[in-house]
Amino acid sequence: METDVARMGLGALSRAFTRFALRSFLPRRAYTKSEFEAFIAQTEFRTYEIQQSPLALDVDLRK
């Protein structure tokens, strides 16, 4: 996470808040990879790829 925040080019206060947000309240609201797979299973998309990084899920859906 530190590397990702450093790449954002934020000032000191913004960096501190971003780190705080990513560690505290945002993880509670984020979908996990398995939750996303369960959601996809309920759709017509049968082919998908999910790339997971510390800060994001990159989802590619195909019919």
Side-chain angles (χ1 to χ4, degrees):
M1 175 183 63
E2 293 298 326
T3 304
D4 291 317
V5 173
R7 271 191 258 148
M8 292 178 188
L10 303 172
L13 185 58
S14 292
R15 270 194 318 272
F17 176 76
T18 300
R19 277 194 225 94
F20 169 75
L22 291 171
R23 288 185 182 134
S24 59
F25 57 86
L26 288 179
R28 292 186 303 231
R29 302 179 82 182
Y31 287 106
T32 64
K33 183 178 179 180
S34 61
E35 289 172 328
F36 220 96
E37 288 171 329
F39 171 72
I40 294 168
Q42 299 174 29
T43 70
E44 294 183 23
F45 294 105
R46 293 296 169 229
T47 306
Y48 64 90
E49 183 178 342
I50 300 176
Q51 301 279 332
Q52 188 170 1
S53 72
L55 292 182
L57 293 176
D58 182 23
V59 181
D60 181 27
L61 303 171
R62 288 170 246 123
K63 282 193 169 188

